[in-house]
Coordinates of all heavy atoms in Angstrom, one line a residue:
M63 N -12.4 -37.4 61.3 CA -12.2 -38.8 60.8 C -13.5 -39.6 61.0 O -14.1 -39.6 62.0 CB -11.1 -39.4 61.7 CG -10.5 -40.7 61.1 SD -9.2 -41.4 62.1 CE -10.0 -42.6 63.0
E64 N -13.8 -40.3 59.9 CA -15.0 -41.1 60.0 C -14.9 -42.3 60.9 O -13.8 -43.0 60.9 CB -15.3 -41.7 58.6 CG -16.6 -42.4 58.5 CD -16.6 -43.6 57.6 OE1 -15.6 -43.9 56.9 OE2 -17.7 -44.3 57.5
T65 N -15.9 -42.5 61.8 CA -15.8 -43.6 62.7 C -16.2 -44.9 61.9 O -17.2 -44.8 61.1 CB -16.6 -43.5 63.9 OG1 -16.7 -44.7 64.6 CG2 -18.1 -43.0 63.6
K66 N -15.5 -45.9 62.0 CA -15.9 -47.2 61.3 C -17.1 -47.9 61.9 O -17.7 -48.6 61.2 CB -14.7 -48.1 61.3 CG -13.5 -47.7 60.4 CD -13.8 -48.0 59.0 CE -12.5 -47.7 58.1 NZ -12.9 -47.8 56.7
L67 N -17.3 -47.6 63.1 CA -18.3 -48.3 63.8 C -19.7 -47.7 63.6 O -19.9 -46.5 63.8 CB -18.0 -48.4 65.3 CG -18.6 -49.4 66.2 CD1 -18.3 -50.8 65.7 CD2 -18.2 -49.3 67.6
C68 N -20.7 -48.5 63.3 CA -22.1 -48.0 63.1 C -22.6 -47.4 64.4 O -22.4 -47.9 65.5 CB -23.0 -49.2 62.8 SG -24.7 -48.8 62.7
P69 N -23.2 -46.2 64.3 CA -23.7 -45.5 65.5 C -24.9 -46.3 66.2 O -25.2 -46.0 67.3 CB -24.2 -44.2 64.9 CG -24.4 -44.4 63.5 CD -23.4 -45.5 63.1
K70 N -25.4 -47.3 65.5 CA -26.5 -48.1 66.1 C -26.0 -49.2 67.1 O -26.9 -49.9 67.7 CB -27.4 -48.7 65.0 CG -27.9 -47.8 64.0 CD -29.2 -47.1 64.5 CE -29.9 -46.3 63.5 NZ -30.7 -45.3 64.1
T71 N -24.8 -49.4 67.1 CA -24.3 -50.5 67.9 C -24.7 -50.6 69.3 O -25.0 -51.7 69.8 CB -22.7 -50.6 67.9 OG1 -22.2 -49.4 68.3 CG2 -22.2 -51.0 66.5
P72 N -24.9 -49.5 70.1 CA -25.3 -49.7 71.5 C -26.6 -50.4 71.7 O -26.8 -51.1 72.6 CB -25.3 -48.3 72.0 CG -24.4 -47.5 71.1 CD -24.6 -48.1 69.8
K73 N -27.5 -50.2 70.7 CA -28.9 -50.7 70.9 C -29.2 -51.8 69.9 O -30.3 -52.4 69.9 CB -29.9 -49.6 70.7 CG -29.9 -48.6 71.9 CD -31.1 -47.7 71.8 CE -31.1 -46.8 73.0 NZ -32.1 -45.7 72.9
C74 N -28.2 -52.2 69.1 CA -28.5 -53.2 68.0 C -28.5 -54.6 68.6 O -27.5 -54.9 69.3 CB -27.5 -53.0 66.9 SG -27.9 -54.1 65.5
P75 N -29.4 -55.4 68.2 CA -29.4 -56.8 68.7 C -28.2 -57.6 68.3 O -28.0 -58.7 68.8 CB -30.8 -57.4 68.2 CG -31.2 -56.5 67.1 CD -30.6 -55.1 67.4
I76 N -27.5 -57.2 67.3 CA -26.3 -57.9 66.9 C -25.3 -57.8 68.0 O -24.5 -58.7 68.3 CB -25.7 -57.2 65.6 CG1 -26.6 -57.5 64.4 CG2 -24.2 -57.7 65.4 CD1 -26.4 -58.8 63.8
F77 N -25.3 -56.7 68.8 CA -24.4 -56.5 69.9 C -25.0 -56.7 71.2 O -24.4 -57.2 72.1 CB -23.9 -55.0 69.8 CG -22.9 -54.8 68.7 CD1 -23.3 -54.5 67.5 CD2 -21.5 -54.8 69.0 CE1 -22.4 -54.3 66.4 CE2 -20.6 -54.6 67.9 CZ -21.1 -54.4 66.7
N78 N -26.3 -56.5 71.3 CA -26.9 -56.5 72.6 C -28.3 -57.1 72.6 O -29.2 -56.7 73.3 CB -27.1 -55.1 73.2 CG -25.7 -54.5 73.6 OD1 -25.0 -55.1 74.4 ND2 -25.4 -53.4 72.9
G79 N -28.5 -58.2 71.9 CA -29.8 -58.8 71.8 C -29.8 -60.2 71.3 O -28.8 -60.9 71.4
I80 N -30.9 -60.5 70.6 CA -31.1 -61.9 70.2 C -30.1 -62.3 69.1 O -30.0 -63.5 68.9 CB -32.5 -62.2 69.8 CG1 -32.9 -61.4 68.5 CG2 -33.5 -62.0 70.9 CD1 -34.2 -61.9 67.9
L81 N -29.5 -61.4 68.5 CA -28.5 -61.8 67.4 C -27.1 -61.8 67.9 O -26.2 -62.1 67.2 CB -28.6 -60.8 66.2 CG -30.0 -60.7 65.6 CD1 -30.0 -59.7 64.5 CD2 -30.4 -62.1 65.0
K82 N -26.9 -61.6 69.2 CA -25.6 -61.6 69.8 C -25.1 -63.0 70.0 O -25.8 -63.9 70.5 CB -25.6 -60.9 71.1 CG -24.3 -60.7 71.9 CD -24.6 -60.0 73.2 CE -23.3 -60.0 74.0 NZ -23.5 -59.4 75.3
G83 N -23.9 -63.3 69.6 CA -23.3 -64.6 69.9 C -23.8 -65.7 69.0 O -23.5 -66.9 69.3
T84 N -24.4 -65.5 67.8 CA -24.7 -66.6 66.9 C -23.5 -66.9 66.1 O -22.5 -66.1 66.1 CB -25.9 -66.2 66.0 OG1 -25.4 -65.3 65.0 CG2 -27.0 -65.6 66.7
Q85 N -23.5 -68.0 65.4 CA -22.3 -68.3 64.6 C -22.0 -67.3 63.5 O -20.9 -67.3 63.0 CB -22.5 -69.7 64.0 CG -23.6 -69.9 63.0 CD -23.7 -71.2 62.3 OE1 -22.6 -71.8 62.0 NE2 -24.8 -71.8 62.2
Y86 N -23.0 -66.5 63.2 CA -22.7 -65.5 62.1 C -22.5 -64.1 62.6 O -22.2 -63.2 61.9 CB -24.0 -65.4 61.2 CG -24.3 -66.7 60.6 CD1 -25.5 -67.4 60.9 CD2 -23.4 -67.3 59.7 CE1 -25.8 -68.6 60.3 CE2 -23.7 -68.6 59.1 CZ -24.9 -69.2 59.4 OH -25.2 -70.4 58.9
T87 N -22.6 -63.9 63.9 CA -22.5 -62.5 64.5 C -21.2 -61.8 64.1 O -21.2 -60.7 63.7 CB -22.7 -62.6 66.0 OG1 -23.9 -63.1 66.3 CG2 -22.6 -61.2 66.6
D88 N -20.1 -62.5 64.2 CA -18.8 -61.9 63.9 C -18.7 -61.5 62.5 O -18.1 -60.5 62.1 CB -17.6 -62.8 64.3 CG -17.4 -62.9 65.8 OD1 -18.0 -62.0 66.5 OD2 -16.7 -63.8 66.3
T89 N -19.3 -62.3 61.6 CA -19.3 -62.0 60.2 C -20.1 -60.8 59.9 O -19.7 -59.9 59.2 CB -19.8 -63.2 59.4 OG1 -19.0 -64.3 59.7 CG2 -19.7 -62.9 57.9
Y90 N -21.3 -60.7 60.5 CA -22.1 -59.5 60.4 C -21.4 -58.3 60.8 O -21.4 -57.2 60.1 CB -23.4 -59.6 61.2 CG -24.4 -60.6 60.6 CD1 -25.1 -61.4 61.5 CD2 -24.6 -60.8 59.3 CE1 -26.0 -62.4 61.0 CE2 -25.5 -61.7 58.8 CZ -26.2 -62.5 59.7 OH -27.2 -63.4 59.2
K91 N -20.8 -58.4 62.0 CA -20.0 -57.2 62.5 C -18.9 -56.7 61.5 O -18.8 -55.6 61.2 CB -19.4 -57.6 63.8 CG -20.3 -57.7 65.0 CD -19.6 -57.9 66.2 CE -20.5 -58.1 67.4 NZ -19.8 -58.4 68.7
R92 N -18.2 -57.7 61.0 CA -17.1 -57.4 60.1 C -17.6 -56.7 58.8 O -17.1 -55.7 58.3 CB -16.3 -58.6 59.8 CG -15.0 -58.4 59.0 CD -14.1 -59.6 59.1 NE -14.8 -60.9 59.0 CZ -15.2 -61.5 57.9 NH1 -15.0 -60.9 56.8 NH2 -15.8 -62.6 58.0
L93 N -18.7 -57.3 58.2 CA -19.2 -56.9 56.9 C -20.0 -55.6 57.0 O -20.0 -54.8 56.1 CB -20.1 -58.0 56.3 CG -19.3 -59.2 55.9 CD1 -20.3 -60.2 55.3 CD2 -18.3 -58.9 54.8
Y94 N -20.7 -55.4 58.1 CA -21.7 -54.3 58.2 C -21.3 -53.3 59.3 O -21.1 -52.1 59.0 CB -23.1 -54.8 58.4 CG -23.6 -55.7 57.4 CD1 -23.5 -57.1 57.5 CD2 -24.1 -55.2 56.2 CE1 -24.0 -57.9 56.5 CE2 -24.6 -56.0 55.2 CZ -24.5 -57.4 55.4 OH -25.0 -58.2 54.4
C95 N -21.3 -53.7 60.5 CA -21.2 -52.8 61.6 C -19.8 -52.1 61.8 O -19.8 -51.0 62.3 CB -21.5 -53.6 62.9 SG -22.8 -54.8 62.8
E96 N -18.8 -52.8 61.4 CA -17.4 -52.2 61.6 C -16.8 -51.9 60.2 O -15.6 -51.7 60.1 CB -16.6 -53.3 62.3 CG -17.1 -53.6 63.7 CD -16.5 -54.9 64.3 OE1 -15.7 -55.6 63.6 OE2 -16.8 -55.2 65.4
A97 N -17.6 -51.7 59.2 CA -17.1 -51.5 57.9 C -17.5 -50.1 57.4 O -17.6 -49.8 56.2 CB -17.7 -52.5 56.9
G98 N -17.6 -49.1 58.3 CA -17.8 -47.7 57.9 C -19.1 -47.5 57.2 O -20.0 -48.3 57.3
E99 N -19.2 -46.3 56.6 CA -20.5 -45.9 56.0 C -20.9 -46.9 54.9 O -22.1 -47.2 54.8 CB -20.3 -44.5 55.4 CG -21.5 -43.8 55.2 CD -21.2 -42.4 54.7 OE1 -20.2 -41.8 55.0 OE2 -22.1 -41.8 54.1
K100 N -20.0 -47.4 54.1 CA -20.3 -48.3 53.1 C -20.9 -49.6 53.6 O -21.9 -50.1 53.1 CB -19.0 -48.7 52.3 CG -19.3 -49.6 51.1 CD -18.0 -49.8 50.3 CE -18.3 -50.5 49.0 NZ -18.9 -51.9 49.2
G101 N -20.4 -50.1 54.7 CA -20.9 -51.3 55.3 C -22.3 -51.1 55.9 O -23.3 -51.9 55.5
R102 N -22.5 -50.1 56.7 CA -23.9 -49.9 57.2 C -24.9 -49.5 56.2 O -26.1 -49.8 56.4 CB -23.8 -49.0 58.4 CG -23.3 -47.6 58.2 CD -23.2 -46.9 59.5 NE -22.7 -45.5 59.4 CZ -21.4 -45.2 59.7 NH1 -20.6 -46.2 60.1 NH2 -21.0 -44.0 59.6
N103 N -24.5 -48.9 55.1 CA -25.4 -48.5 54.1 C -25.9 -49.8 53.3 O -26.8 -49.6 52.5 CB -24.9 -47.5 53.1 CG -25.0 -46.1 53.7 OD1 -25.8 -45.8 54.6 ND2 -24.1 -45.2 53.3
E104 N -25.3 -50.9 53.6 CA -25.8 -52.1 53.0 C -26.6 -53.0 54.0 O -27.0 -54.1 53.7 CB -24.7 -52.9 52.4 CG -24.1 -52.2 51.2 CD -22.9 -52.9 50.6 OE1 -22.5 -54.0 51.1 OE2 -22.3 -52.4 49.7
C105 N -26.7 -52.5 55.2 CA -27.4 -53.2 56.3 C -28.9 -52.9 56.3 O -29.3 -51.8 56.5 CB -26.7 -52.9 57.6 SG -27.7 -53.5 59.0
K106 N -29.7 -54.0 56.2 CA -31.1 -53.8 56.1 C -31.6 -53.2 57.5 O -32.5 -52.3 57.5 CB -31.9 -55.1 55.9 CG -31.7 -55.6 54.4 CD -32.6 -54.8 53.5 CE -32.3 -55.1 52.0 NZ -32.4 -56.5 51.6
R107 N -31.0 -53.6 58.6 CA -31.4 -53.1 59.9 C -31.2 -51.5 59.9 O -32.0 -50.8 60.3 CB -30.6 -53.7 61.0 CG -30.8 -55.2 61.2 CD -30.3 -55.6 62.6 NE -30.9 -54.8 63.6 CZ -32.2 -55.0 64.0 NH1 -32.9 -56.1 63.6 NH2 -32.7 -54.2 64.9
Y108 N -30.0 -51.1 59.4 CA -29.6 -49.7 59.5 C -30.5 -48.9 58.6 O -31.1 -47.8 58.9 CB -28.2 -49.6 59.1 CG -27.7 -48.2 59.2 CD1 -27.3 -47.6 60.4 CD2 -27.5 -47.4 58.0 CE1 -26.8 -46.3 60.5 CE2 -27.0 -46.1 58.1 CZ -26.7 -45.6 59.3 OH -26.2 -44.3 59.4
L109 N -30.8 -49.4 57.4 CA -31.6 -48.7 56.4 C -33.0 -48.6 56.8 O -33.6 -47.5 56.6 CB -31.5 -49.4 55.0 CG -30.1 -49.4 54.4 CD1 -30.0 -50.3 53.2 CD2 -29.6 -48.0 54.1
V110 N -33.6 -49.6 57.4 CA -35.0 -49.5 57.9 C -35.0 -48.5 59.0 O -35.9 -47.7 59.1 CB -35.5 -50.9 58.4 CG1 -36.8 -50.8 59.1 CG2 -35.7 -51.8 57.1
A111 N -34.1 -48.6 60.0 CA -34.1 -47.7 61.1 C -33.9 -46.2 60.6 O -34.4 -45.3 61.2 CB -33.0 -48.0 62.1
L112 N -33.1 -46.0 59.6 CA -33.0 -44.6 59.0 C -34.3 -44.1 58.6 O -34.6 -42.9 58.8 CB -32.1 -44.7 57.8 CG -30.6 -44.4 58.0 CD1 -30.0 -44.1 56.6 CD2 -30.3 -43.2 58.9
K113 N -35.1 -45.0 58.0 CA -36.4 -44.5 57.4 C -37.5 -44.3 58.5 O -38.3 -43.3 58.4 CB -36.9 -45.5 56.4 CG -36.2 -45.4 55.1 CD -36.9 -46.3 54.0 CE -36.3 -46.1 52.7 NZ -36.8 -47.0 51.7
V114 N -37.6 -45.2 59.4 CA -38.7 -45.2 60.4 C -38.3 -45.1 61.8 O -39.1 -45.2 62.7 CB -39.7 -46.4 60.1 CG1 -40.3 -46.3 58.8 CG2 -39.0 -47.7 60.3
G115 N -37.0 -45.1 62.1 CA -36.5 -44.9 63.5 C -36.3 -46.2 64.3 O -35.6 -46.2 65.3
I116 N -36.9 -47.3 63.8 CA -36.7 -48.6 64.5 C -36.6 -49.7 63.5 O -37.0 -49.5 62.3 CB -37.9 -48.9 65.5 CG1 -39.2 -48.8 64.8 CG2 -37.8 -47.9 66.7 CD1 -40.4 -49.3 65.7
C117 N -36.2 -50.9 64.0 CA -36.2 -52.0 63.1 C -36.5 -53.2 64.0 O -36.0 -53.3 65.2 CB -34.8 -52.2 62.5 SG -34.7 -53.6 61.4
P118 N -37.4 -54.2 63.6 CA -37.7 -55.3 64.4 C -36.4 -56.1 64.8 O -35.5 -56.2 64.0 CB -38.6 -56.2 63.5 CG -39.1 -55.3 62.5 CD -38.0 -54.2 62.3
P119 N -36.3 -56.7 66.0 CA -35.1 -57.3 66.5 C -34.6 -58.5 65.7 O -33.5 -58.8 65.7 CB -35.4 -57.7 67.9 CG -36.9 -57.6 68.1 CD -37.4 -56.6 67.0
N120 N -35.6 -59.2 65.0 CA -35.2 -60.4 64.3 C -34.8 -60.2 62.8 O -34.5 -61.1 62.1 CB -36.3 -61.4 64.3 CG -37.6 -60.9 63.7 OD1 -37.8 -59.7 63.5 ND2 -38.4 -61.8 63.2
I121 N -34.7 -58.9 62.4 CA -34.3 -58.7 61.0 C -32.7 -58.7 60.9 O -32.0 -58.1 61.7 CB -34.8 -57.3 60.5 CG1 -36.3 -57.3 60.5 CG2 -34.1 -56.9 59.2 CD1 -36.9 -58.2 59.4
L122 N -32.2 -59.5 60.0 CA -30.8 -59.6 59.8 C -30.2 -58.6 58.9 O -31.0 -58.1 58.1 CB -30.4 -61.0 59.2 CG -30.8 -62.2 60.1 CD1 -30.6 -63.5 59.4 CD2 -30.0 -62.2 61.4
P123 N -29.0 -58.2 59.1 CA -28.4 -57.2 58.2 C -28.5 -57.5 56.7 O -28.7 -56.7 55.9 CB -26.9 -57.2 58.6 CG -26.9 -57.7 60.0 CD -28.0 -58.7 60.1
N124 N -28.4 -58.8 56.4 CA -28.5 -59.3 55.0 C -29.9 -59.9 54.7 O -30.0 -60.7 53.9 CB -27.4 -60.2 54.7 CG -27.5 -61.5 55.5 OD1 -28.2 -61.6 56.5 ND2 -26.8 -62.5 55.1
S125 N -30.9 -59.4 55.4 CA -32.3 -59.9 55.1 C -32.6 -59.9 53.7 O -32.3 -58.9 53.0 CB -33.3 -59.1 55.9 OG -34.6 -59.4 55.5
S126 N -33.3 -60.9 53.2 CA -33.7 -61.0 51.8 C -34.9 -60.1 51.5 O -35.2 -59.8 50.4 CB -34.0 -62.4 51.3 OG -35.0 -62.9 52.1
K127 N -35.5 -59.6 52.6 CA -36.7 -58.7 52.4 C -36.2 -57.3 52.0 O -35.2 -56.9 52.5 CB -37.5 -58.6 53.7 CG -38.1 -59.9 54.1 CD -38.9 -59.8 55.4 CE -39.4 -61.1 55.9 NZ -40.0 -61.0 57.2
S128 N -37.0 -56.6 51.2 CA -36.7 -55.2 50.9 C -37.0 -54.4 52.1 O -37.8 -54.7 53.0 CB -37.5 -54.8 49.7 OG -38.9 -54.6 50.1
E129 N -36.4 -53.2 52.1 CA -36.8 -52.2 53.2 C -38.3 -52.0 53.2 O -38.9 -51.9 54.3 CB -36.0 -50.9 53.0 CG -34.5 -51.0 53.1 CD -33.9 -49.9 52.3 OE1 -34.3 -48.7 52.5 OE2 -33.0 -50.2 51.5
D130 N -38.8 -51.7 52.1 CA -40.3 -51.4 52.0 C -41.1 -52.6 52.5 O -42.1 -52.4 53.2 CB -40.7 -51.1 50.6 CG -40.1 -49.7 50.2 OD1 -39.7 -48.9 51.1 OD2 -40.1 -49.4 49.0
D131 N -40.7 -53.8 52.2 CA -41.5 -55.0 52.7 C -41.4 -55.0 54.3 O -42.4 -55.3 54.9 CB -41.0 -56.3 52.1 CG -41.4 -56.4 50.7 OD1 -42.3 -55.6 50.2 OD2 -40.9 -57.3 50.0
I132 N -40.2 -54.8 54.8 CA -40.0 -54.9 56.2 C -40.9 -53.8 56.9 O -41.6 -54.1 57.9 CB -38.5 -54.7 56.6 CG1 -37.7 -55.8 56.1 CG2 -38.4 -54.5 58.1 CD1 -36.2 -55.6 56.1
I133 N -40.9 -52.6 56.3 CA -41.7 -51.5 56.9 C -43.2 -51.8 56.8 O -43.9 -51.6 57.7 CB -41.3 -50.2 56.2 CG1 -39.8 -49.8 56.6 CG2 -42.3 -49.1 56.6 CD1 -39.2 -48.7 55.8
A134 N -43.6 -52.4 55.6 CA -45.0 -52.7 55.4 C -45.4 -53.7 56.5 O -46.5 -53.6 57.0 CB -45.2 -53.2 54.0
E135 N -44.6 -54.7 56.8 CA -44.9 -55.7 57.8 C -45.0 -55.1 59.2 O -45.9 -55.5 60.0 CB -43.9 -56.8 57.8 CG -44.0 -57.7 56.5 CD -42.9 -58.8 56.4 OE1 -42.1 -58.9 57.4 OE2 -42.8 -59.4 55.4
M136 N -44.1 -54.2 59.4 CA -44.2 -53.5 60.7 C -45.5 -52.7 60.9 O -46.1 -52.7 61.9 CB -43.0 -52.5 60.9 CG -41.7 -53.2 61.0 SD -40.3 -52.0 60.8 CE -40.3 -51.2 62.3
K137 N -45.9 -52.1 59.8 CA -47.2 -51.4 59.8 C -48.4 -52.3 60.0 O -49.3 -52.0 60.8 CB -47.4 -50.6 58.5 CG -46.6 -49.3 58.4 CD -46.8 -48.6 57.2 CE -45.9 -47.3 57.1 NZ -45.8 -46.8 55.8
Q138 N -48.3 -53.5 59.4 CA -49.4 -54.5 59.5 C -49.5 -54.9 61.0 O -50.6 -55.2 61.5 CB -49.1 -55.7 58.6 CG -49.6 -55.5 57.2 CD -49.2 -56.7 56.4 OE1 -48.6 -57.7 56.8 NE2 -49.6 -56.6 55.1
R139 N -48.3 -55.1 61.6 CA -48.3 -55.5 63.0 C -48.6 -54.4 64.0 O -48.6 -54.6 65.2 CB -47.0 -56.2 63.3 CG -46.7 -57.5 62.6 CD -45.5 -58.2 63.2 NE -44.3 -57.4 63.1 CZ -43.4 -57.6 62.2 NH1 -43.5 -58.5 61.2 NH2 -42.3 -56.8 62.1
G140 N -48.8 -53.2 63.5 CA -49.1 -52.1 64.4 C -47.9 -51.5 65.1 O -48.0 -50.9 66.2
E141 N -46.7 -51.8 64.6 CA -45.5 -51.4 65.3 C -45.1 -49.9 64.9 O -44.2 -49.4 65.5 CB -44.3 -52.3 65.0 CG -44.6 -53.7 65.5 CD -43.6 -54.7 65.0 OE1 -42.6 -54.4 64.3 OE2 -43.7 -55.9 65.3
L142 N -45.8 -49.4 63.9 CA -45.5 -48.0 63.5 C -46.8 -47.2 63.5 O -47.9 -47.8 63.3 CB -45.0 -48.0 62.1 CG -43.6 -48.6 61.8 CD1 -43.3 -48.6 60.3 CD2 -42.5 -47.9 62.6
N143 N -46.7 -46.0 63.8 CA -47.9 -45.1 63.8 C -48.3 -44.7 62.4 O -47.5 -44.6 61.6 CB -47.7 -43.9 64.7 CG -47.5 -44.3 66.1 OD1 -48.1 -45.2 66.6 ND2 -46.6 -43.6 66.8
Ligands
LIG1384 S1 -26.4 -54.7 62.3 FE1 -26.7 -52.9 61.1 S2 -27.7 -51.4 62.4 FE2 -26.9 -53.0 63.7 S3 -24.9 -52.1 64.4 FE3 -24.6 -53.4 62.6 S4 -24.6 -52.0 60.8 FE4 -25.6 -51.0 62.5

């Protein structure tokens, strides 16, 4: 049976970091984190982490930036090898 919960939840800032407890946190959880594969496949945090293994803590699931832009910025800041 498919688990509805995103496997990233233990380390994701939505649950355990700077995005925890904001006025939008519950909405993010419902739309992305607890919405099965379809939900997390629309989450920018999840998609960036799939490609490069990590995602900056301040990126929102519905970030207007593209995955490639987020990754390019991480490279510019020296956060990726
Ligand atoms: S915000 Fe994205 S990466 Fe984090 S737990 Fe939710 S779906 Fe997973």
Side-chain angles (χ1 to χ4, degrees):
M63 194 177 100
E64 187 214 356
T65 170
K66 288 279 185 193
L67 200 61
C68 173
K70 303 279 186 201
T71 53
K73 291 187 175 174
C74 184
I76 289 280
F77 286 81
N78 290 302
I80 62 169
L81 301 176
K82 183 179 171 183
T84 76
Q85 62 176 318
Y86 303 115
T87 300
D88 285 346
T89 305
Y90 289 141
K91 286 184 182 176
R92 187 164 39 83
L93 292 178
Y94 299 97
C95 321
E96 299 166 352
E99 201 172 335
K100 184 174 185 303
R102 58 186 176 262
N103 279 336
E104 292 176 3
C105 171
K106 289 282 168 61
R107 297 197 54 79
Y108 184 77
L109 295 172
V110 168
L112 264 193
K113 283 188 174 172
V114 295
I116 55 173
C117 182
N120 62 337
I121 295 294
L122 296 174
N124 62 344
S125 172
S126 59
K127 295 178 183 174
S128 72
E129 294 153 50
D130 287 345
D131 285 349
I132 294 167
I133 291 168
E135 288 174 8
M136 292 167 77
K137 284 181 181 162
Q138 274 176 4
R139 291 192 299 263
E141 294 170 5
L142 295 174
N143 295 323

